[in-house]
């Protein structure tokens, strides 16, 4: 066992709707960080990501209902969902669906920026140039621009969940502003805001290094967990675990417990192999129906 591990890790193989219903008590989860399938034809190992849209939205409402049942009244659901160039309204349709019946309130909208062009001075020529930071897959199109961001919707049961904004705060560039505002408390940290630049690591061997086609970085999850706060006592859940980035990030944050559900046994094997390689303890279960 890794002596730094503080987190109880429970992994479940099977459908997350049945899993949450049968294995997670009501109002027992503090933080849900997840990224469900987008229904955009992504090539998963076994899941067919091209449902009829009515079927997809019915299924979305079904898993969201169970997620709401599991979440504490002051909990947070951080929902990462991206659209496509041909379906740009998908993220907004999903969040409209989750808030329509009053179960969730959209408390914050976070833009996850994967790549961005930034000005900098070339150290050799001293000329200001723009340099692309981060990575993206370029498209060949005369109509669309490369899509470099996704949404992370912060949904809460009542819209009044308190956050620890300075847990992911950034220092003031102008230190004279530290005491200018009464709410700063004299700390050299200010709210990061809702635009987060979190690039992917460069992957040269996609099959070996990234066997799942649609992952999010550990750092994105770490920011969500720290922002919610109460990290040492939090229970974190990911209903769509994939290859386990939410699990690794939760252990890094030292949360009390992590619960993950994954339908695909191949992806779940990757998670268990990685946890074993890091010498972390975990419990593996089969979802009961």
């Amino acid at each position: 066992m890794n002596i730094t591990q503080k987190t109880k890790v429970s992994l479940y193989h099977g459908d997350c709707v049945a899993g949450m219903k049968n294995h997670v008590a009501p109002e027992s989860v503090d933080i849900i960080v997840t990224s469900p399938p987008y229904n955009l034809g992504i090539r998963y190992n076994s899941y067919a990501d091209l449902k009829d849209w009515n079927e997809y939205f019915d299924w979305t409402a079904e898993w969201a209902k169970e997620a709401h049942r599991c979440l504490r009244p002051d909990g947070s659901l951080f929902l990462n969902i991206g659209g496509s160039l041909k379906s740009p309204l998908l993220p907004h349709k999903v969040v409209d669906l989750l808030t329509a019946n009053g179960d969730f309130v959209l408390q914050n909208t976070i833009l996850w920026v994967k790549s961005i062009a930034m000005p900098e001075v070339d150290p050799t020529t001293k000329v200001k140039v723009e340099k692309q930071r981060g990575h993206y897959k370029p498209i060949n199109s005369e109509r669309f621009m490369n899509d470099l961001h996704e949404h992370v919707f912060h949904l809460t049961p009542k819209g009044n969940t308190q956050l620890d904004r300075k847990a992911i705060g950034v220092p003031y560039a102008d230190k004279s502003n530290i005491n200018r505002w009464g709410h700063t408390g004299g700390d050299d940290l200010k709210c990061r805001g809702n635009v987060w630049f979190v690039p992917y690591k460069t992957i040269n061997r996609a099959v070996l290094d990234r066997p799942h086609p649609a992952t999010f970085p550990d750092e994105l999850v770490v920011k969500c967990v720290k922002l919610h706060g109460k990290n040492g006592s939090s229970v974190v859940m990911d209903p769509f675990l994939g290859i386990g980035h939410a699990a690794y990030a939760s252990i890094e944050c030292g949360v009390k417990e992590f619960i993950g559900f994954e339908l695909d046994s191949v992806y779940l094997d990757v998670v268990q192999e990685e946890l074993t390689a890091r010498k972390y303890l975990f419990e593996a279960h089969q979802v009961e129906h």
Side-chain angles (χ1 to χ4, degrees):
M1 176 182 177
N2 190 320
I3 61 173
T4 64
Q5 181 177 354
K6 301 177 181 178
T7 306
K8 176 185 176 183
V9 178
S10 300
L11 307 177
Y12 290 88
H13 176 221
D15 176 71
C16 70
V17 176
M20 287 186 282
K21 186 176 297 183
N22 296 323
H23 298 282
V24 184
E27 298 185 1
S28 63
V29 174
D30 297 282
I31 309 166
I32 301 174
V33 186
T34 197
S35 185
Y38 301 166
N39 208 43
L40 298 175
I42 294 175
R43 293 185 178 181
Y44 295 102
N45 183 61
S46 59
Y47 174 79
D49 193 41
L50 275 177
K51 297 179 183 290
D52 172 82
W53 279 109
N54 289 330
E55 180 185 359
Y56 175 76
F57 288 126
D58 286 346
W59 170 76
T60 298
E62 188 179 10
W63 72 253
K65 179 181 179 181
E66 278 305 312
H68 176 267
R69 182 190 64 82
C70 297
L71 203 62
R72 297 188 193 278
D74 62 347
S76 291
L77 164 58
F78 292 95
L79 175 63
N80 164 227
I81 186 163
S84 73
L85 299 172
K86 294 182 179 179
S87 301
L89 295 179
L90 174 61
H92 307 285
K93 290 180 179 179
V94 170
V95 80
D96 280 348
L97 176 66
L98 267 59
T99 56
N101 63 3
D103 283 346
F104 288 104
V105 176
L106 179 59
Q107 188 166 323
N108 290 283
T109 299
I110 300 160
L111 293 184
W112 167 25
V113 178
K114 304 175 183 179
S115 181
I116 190 169
M118 297 288 291
E120 64 177 45
V121 177
D122 186 286
T124 303
T125 64
K126 307 300 181 184
V127 175
K128 183 179 287 188
V129 296
E130 282 197 311
K131 183 176 180 180
Q132 195 79 30
R133 299 183 182 273
H135 308 280
Y136 63 94
K137 182 179 180 180
I139 62 169
N140 182 17
S141 174
E142 295 181 351
R143 292 191 296 155
F144 299 120
M145 302 174 69
N146 289 301
D147 194 356
L148 308 184
H149 82 282
E150 291 189 13
H151 292 85
V152 179
F153 295 112
H154 175 224
L155 297 148
T156 61
K158 298 180 180 179
N160 60 359
T161 295
Q162 295 187 8
L163 302 175
D164 186 359
R165 300 191 305 162
K166 289 186 178 180
I168 58 168
V170 293
Y172 283 88
D174 182 351
K175 304 305 181 186
S176 68
N177 285 324
I178 295 174
N179 295 313
R180 181 170 298 174
W181 312 107
H183 60 267
T184 64
D187 295 332
D188 185 15
L189 280 177
K190 62 179 179 180
C191 176
R192 175 178 295 273
N194 66 349
V195 179
W196 298 354
F197 175 51
V198 183
Y200 281 115
K201 292 181 180 179
T202 302
I203 299 172
N204 297 319
R205 302 177 302 158
V207 174
L208 295 177
D209 295 341
R210 190 176 166 192
H212 190 285
T215 62
F216 46 44
D218 291 13
E219 184 184 343
L220 187 69
V221 182
V222 168
K223 280 183 167 53
C224 292
V225 171
K226 288 184 176 180
L227 177 64
H228 178 82
K230 305 176 184 177
N231 301 323
S233 60
S234 293
V235 176
V236 181
M237 182 172 72
D238 185 352
F240 304 96
L241 183 59
I243 56 173
H245 291 282
Y248 314 141
S250 296
I251 295 171
E252 178 184 334
C253 291
V255 304
K256 178 182 177 182
E257 183 177 357
F258 175 82
I259 304 166
F261 297 93
E262 177 50 48
L263 190 64
D264 193 293
S265 61
V266 173
Y267 297 153
L268 198 58
D269 285 345
V270 173
V271 182
Q272 295 182 70
E273 289 170 6
E274 180 63 24
L275 289 171
T276 300
R278 299 188 190 193
K279 298 183 179 179
Y280 286 126
L281 290 180
F282 60 90
E283 298 176 357
H285 309 274
Q286 194 73 26
V287 168
E288 297 176 2
H289 291 270

